[in-house]
Amino acid sequence: MSVNQQAHTGPPYGQPQPGYQGYQQPAYGAQSLPGVPQSQYGAYNGPMPGYQQPVPPQGYFPSLGFPSKGSPVSLNSDTSSLAPNFIGSLRALPTSGAPPPASGASHPSGHLAYSQFEHGDVQNGIPASAAPMQRPPASQPFLPGSAPTPVSQISTFQQYGPPPASVQQLRNHMAGMTIGSTAASAPPPAGLGYGVGPSSYPPTTGAPRPPAMPGPPLPGQTVAGPPSSQPNHVSSPPPPPPSAMAGLHPGPPMSGLHGPPPPTHPPQPGYQMQQNGSFGQMRGPQPNYGGAYPGAPNYGSPPGPPPPPKRLDPDSIPSPQLNELPPQQKPRHRIDPDAIPSPIQVIEDDRNNRGSEPFVTGVRGQVPPLVTTNFLVKDQGNASPRYIRCTSYNIPCTSDMAKQSQVPLAAVIKPLATLPPEETLPYLVDHGESGPVRCNRCKAYMCPFMQFIEGGRRFQCCFCSCVTEVPPHYFQHLDHTGKRVDFYDRPELSLGSYEFLATVDYCKNNKFPSPPAFIFMIDVSYNAVKSGLVRLICEELKSLLDYLPREGNMEESAIRVGFVTYNKVLHFYNVKSSLAQPQMMVVSDVADMFVPLLDGFLVNVNESRTVIASLLDQIPEMFADTRETETVFAPVIQAGLEALKAAECAGKLFIFHTSLPIAEAPGKLKNRDDRKLINTDKEKTLFQPQTSFYNNLAKDCVAQGCCVDLFLFPNQYLDVATLGVVPYQTGGSIYKYAYFQLETDQYRFLNDLRRDVQKEVGFDAVMRVRTSTGIRATDFFGAFYMSNTTDVEMAGLDCDKTITVEFKHDDKLSEDSGALLQCALLYTSCAGQRRLRIHNLSLNCCTQLADLYRNCETDTLINYLAKYAYRGVLSSPVKTVRDSLINQCAQILACYRKNCASPSSAGQLILPECMKLLPVYLNCVLKSDVLQPGPEVTTDDRAYIRQLVTSMDVAETNVFFYPRLLPLTKADVDSDSLPAAIRNSEERLSKGDIYLLENGLNVFVWVGVSVQQGLIQNLFGVSSFSQISNALSTLPVLENPFSKKVRSIVDMLQGQRSRYMKLIIVKQEDKLEMLFKHFLVEDKSLSGGASYVDFLCHMHKEIRQLLS
């Protein structure tokens, strides 16, 4: 990364960004906004008291609502190379289903998105360059003062004396972040912020640039090392004395440079104000994009005219000419967004460094590759990171050290995770009637860490140190190293993950379970019938029933099926194979639910195929003329529960539901939606169920092994917080399709339904996590029920669900023995077999804080923090939750700074290498719809997202909070690879390109207003930008390489996600663009969320307060 970043100017928009109707421009300045919570930290980056207030630049109108940016704190970041290119964490989706109705999303009258594109072909403040761009070699050192400059300019370099004291103080608070090595590397002189330094101006011709020669450092500066070894520092450039500035000569730009000329008037002391979160520095090169040097130096040639504007590539071009900008837009010295840690770069580096070798799990405490890296796992005694990921792989030996660091010790466990085809599924071990070998005292299962003693006759437990006799049938001799000679023949001795066949002692009522059942329960009220939903479900089920999950090599699935329809009453169907036609039985007494038939309700699909097909044909006809609009809900679950009880089996209910259950019945709800509660102490009630009825019902369901999956199709509020209680506590899933429309949403719904019916699931599951002496599991997050403090109970657990476990110290740990976790899951397979799945993981322990910080995993940490916060909103005001998150992360980073970082000035922000993305990801969590909803986010959306995130795995939260943004126009149509991702910021978009953004729930395709007609024709099959339809739910199938490539990218992304993502086509300057911008998480959000740069300044301020 270039040490002296070029001044980058923000988007040339003179107006504030258009918001939703009537919504105020959020400001992080000293002024407070009505409806936006006050932070205990005071104004984010308002002017610092005691410093001279910068004079607003000419043309700055306070009435336009620009954020006041008096003095962002200077930043430095201590780690190796910093970043472009990433797949990152995501922002909560604004609405899970259809976009907000057009009326709500319209722009305030008179405001157009992108109001000022009049400056030639410039968008987002970046002009075009004629020359093809080349990225400079990564290892090339950029040294301040090293570029030969025309003689007439040299005098300006020499006018810098030491800055006056007041400016020196200012230096510690102003931002111009440049990345440096441990001794803060030389920032360019602030007066030359347009960059008469080596990294600033592209030379004109096409040869590569020669390496810069070291020149003498400027007064008061140290010389930078090569950027490749940079620790995470970002330091402020010293502002020059105003007198020095006056010596700059106005004049034409230097030869072949497209940068702005030097200013023609002495600038104000201090820094200019900045509008709308745009940055005052030019962009440095991004990986996989041309750099800022399109050619060989052309020193000393006469100034040439700037090249004519050409198609824009924002990632490689310096900022526009100063005179092209409106007056309030002149660049100011501010943290350069390219000089701060980039998720894209971190991801790219990890892929390059760790993607080629398999991850072998034999060594204790190894940190696995990132979730965004594609890697193979070889199990050699520790569970694969696909099953367990930890926040840290080296945990403090004492609780005092853990409290000091504030790093939460947690594991995100996905016990039934799907493995790629190249990896082996856990082996199934059958020990016969005696069952698995276990420790006598703590009941831990045999695993690779157990120590065999006395010639193999006894073993010492690695968890509690108790010595247990080896059963005679299990005895085996030891070799000369103390290992059993059958070590490699037994999965439980040599592998981290395996399964045991459970004996009858592990079954309810000491009898083996029956195979589970699936019951499909369809809402047939007016809304469901009229929208075509009922017919769609019935048509799909005819074919879907052939794909029920089955065990390994079984011919057909052992799962039985049943059918119920309902509105205000319930209709049960007898589909016994001996009947010619299905029979319907109605239960209208919903207050006392019972199942009116036993024989013929749950049937084998193959035996009753013709009767089931006949029923599914008849249901849409039977209810075609219904006028019943009211529905019940709790009695539907009760009916399914009673049916499973009667059949003495576990199972799953698939409920398709459309409206708030207001009909007279148990569990009846009222509409309690109230947006006025947002930002009040009562906001937490919006996330809580409105009655305890459903909690009790969930408890009964878990006891029976009755899991509930809920498909919702709301056209208005239906209280997801209450309806979701039973799915959530039984380990089920919720799917939501707001404003469901057959033509646009059926594809997504059917894909979700197919996957949900077919995926691997364990029933009647109980999970326990055992730990070695010194730590214990204290807290659990996820979709489950707990009747005691140790056992996590789930009526169903599928391959996508995770349980997050937090550990606390209850004694000292030793560095020698480390710490061990064993997760044991007891469940019934889809064939009715009772099994135990075991995952083991060994971690290192440390007495030095530096070892803890060196072995953390930020993605897992964010997964834990998001779940912790999302549970917090049930009991605390949202503002309290946000503040405690910021405070905890500030403490984590302050502890590192104080105890592990080499001494440096307080003006530097120093981040641990493996946590350098903590601020950007944390900001994404803080800006998510649950913690900071925009005006368009409904109460139901927030409750839905809250429940969804709580059982997400690390890869899902990563892309959910920091979405993946891909430039489709840069895709190579001849290769299988994806185009390199870019950072989530509007200034990275070029209006001549097409981009794809995915966050695990939605896929946006953003089309710039200047995209070439040929590309539009190839992708959408229409001849112009204006003809592209927003209503497309899939891309048209066209026979050309670009269309095939883009569709294959979308299909590939869909395959990686647990839900089918909704495709949304966004045209630049269209009303849907506001929804799209909501996911550009490095920018300031409409709901008042900070930009990444602002938040980094704020975190720095918090850390400094803690340290002082």
Side-chain angles (χ1 to χ4, degrees), residues 39 71 76 78 151 157 302 354 476 511 648 814 842 1005 1105:
S39 155
S71 59
N76 266 317
D78 148 68
V151 177
F157 275 96
R354 307 196 63 181
Q476 187 55 270
K511 78 179 210 209
E648 296 187 339
S814 94
S842 60
V1005 173
Q1105 279 178 354

Side-chain angles (χ1 to χ4, degrees), residues 80 105 107 132 243 286 364 423 520 624 728 758 763 791 793 798 819 821 919 950 981 1062 1076:
S80 51
H107 300 304
S243 60
Q286 271 243 65
R364 184 174 84 187
E423 291 177 21
F520 297 91
Y728 185 67
Q758 294 174 39
F763 294 95
D791 295 336
E793 300 174 49
D798 64 50
L821 318 177
T950 306
K1062 179 185 174 115
F1076 173 76

Side-chain angles (χ1 to χ4, degrees), residues 662-704:
I662 53 173
E664 221 30 78
K668 170 186 171 178
L669 300 178
K670 59 180 192 292
N671 187 335
R672 54 164 186 161
D673 189 17
D674 187 359
R675 289 191 62 86
K676 291 198 286 297
L677 297 181
I678 292 178
N679 295 326
T680 68
D681 284 352
K682 288 191 177 162
E683 184 171 9
K684 56 179 181 259
T685 60
L686 297 175
F687 296 109
Q688 298 164 352
Q690 58 172 286
T691 156
S692 62
F693 181 87
Y694 288 95
N695 294 75
N696 297 326
L697 181 54
K699 187 175 168 184
D700 295 342
C701 287
V702 172
Q704 180 55 41

Side-chain angles (χ1 to χ4, degrees), residues 112-133:
L112 279 170
Y114 297 100
S115 53
Q116 296 195 357
F117 278 163
E118 304 88 55
H119 312 298
D121 194 27
V122 172
Q123 177 215 355
N124 287 357
I126 303 164
S129 140
M133 297 305 170

Side-chain angles (χ1 to χ4, degrees), residues 588-601:
S588 51
D589 181 9
V590 289
D592 184 19
M593 186 43 64
F594 66 98
V595 179
L597 74 159
L598 286 180
D599 192 27
F601 179 62

